[in-house]
Amino acid sequence: QRLLKEKGGLSGLARLSARELAAMDGLGDAKAATLVAALELGRRMSQRKAEVKNAIHGAEDVFELLGERLRIEAQEVFQVIYLNAKNQLIGAPKEISRGGLMSCPVDPSLIFREATIKNAVSVILIHNHPSGDPTPSKEDIRLTYRIVEAGDILGIEVLDHVIIGDGRMTSFKESGLLQ
């Protein structure tokens, strides 16, 4: 309980390495390794949940799939969900880029190369804000519009861009930023 309080809950603990955990009062190498393994199992179960999900009907489904996994990341992670004509997942969500604390460079060509390989009809963009605040930045908005333009040229629709924060999200579609 003390560690959870000190480190900001499970998401804070998940950001620590085994070495950092082992150095804490009351934890040794064995307990730290056990804790790291348990957190990794949780991440993998979350990923498996994403692979099993059948169809995406809105931002809440996206949050259910990836919210817990992305909110504990210590850096920005940009992922894409690829969908068929029935809004069913084509494989697991794909990590496109991993950045720093405040930004994540994304190359739209990587998004659409994968989309064409998978014969995706549409995509949903997802990334996290490690700060916990899912409010889109000006750069998030610019990037989204660039990706939408590229998708329009290729005939692949960008259905939404969901930003994951600490227990909450922002949907570009629901907030009117994406028509």
Side-chain angles (χ1 to χ4, degrees):
Q1 290 298 332
R2 177 183 57 82
L3 284 176
L4 288 171
K5 281 183 181 179
E6 286 177 10
K7 299 303 174 188
L10 285 175
S11 61
L13 281 178
R15 291 183 178 133
L16 299 175
S17 69
R19 181 173 290 148
E20 291 169 314
L21 288 168
M24 296 179 151
D25 189 34
L27 286 182
D29 290 338
K31 284 184 184 175
T34 301
L35 189 54
V36 168
L39 292 167
E40 180 60 25
L41 282 173
R43 280 191 197 104
R44 290 181 185 192
M45 287 180 69
S46 176
Q47 182 66 29
R48 177 70 182 131
K49 184 178 177 183
E51 292 169 2
V52 170
K53 183 79 175 167
N54 189 25
I56 301 292
H57 301 290
E60 286 296 326
D61 289 338
V62 173
F63 189 74
E64 183 183 329
L65 275 175
L66 297 169
E68 282 303 310
R69 184 169 172 269
L70 287 178
R71 80 179 195 97
I72 64 170
E73 290 284 351
Q75 61 204 83
E76 282 201 16
V77 178
F78 194 98
Q79 294 192 349
V80 178
I81 294 174
Y82 298 95
L83 302 167
N84 65 19
K86 294 182 179 183
N87 283 358
Q88 295 171 322
L89 285 161
I90 302 172
K94 170 93 171 155
E95 183 175 310
I96 299 298
S97 181
R98 187 171 282 269
L101 294 175
M102 305 228 355
S103 67
C104 186
V106 177
D107 183 346
S109 68
L110 296 176
I111 294 168
F112 293 109
R113 178 176 58 193
E114 189 74 20
T116 55
I117 289 169
K118 292 178 180 250
N119 293 318
V121 171
S122 57
V123 298
I124 297 176
L125 314 173
I126 310 103
H127 83 278
N128 66 315
H129 280 176
S131 68
D133 180 3
T135 305
S137 67
K138 289 179 184 175
E139 183 55 36
D140 291 335
I141 294 168
R142 275 194 298 271
L143 174 64
T144 302
Y145 292 157
R146 279 184 50 223
I147 295 170
V148 168
E149 287 175 4
D152 287 345
I153 291 168
L154 295 169
I156 300 170
E157 184 179 6
V158 176
L159 296 178
D160 203 350
H161 184 168
V162 178
I163 301 176
I164 306 293
D166 192 9
R168 53 197 177 116
M169 67 169 176
T170 297
S171 161
F172 275 54
K173 185 175 184 176
E174 291 175 5
S175 63
L177 291 169
L178 192 63
Q179 304 302 326

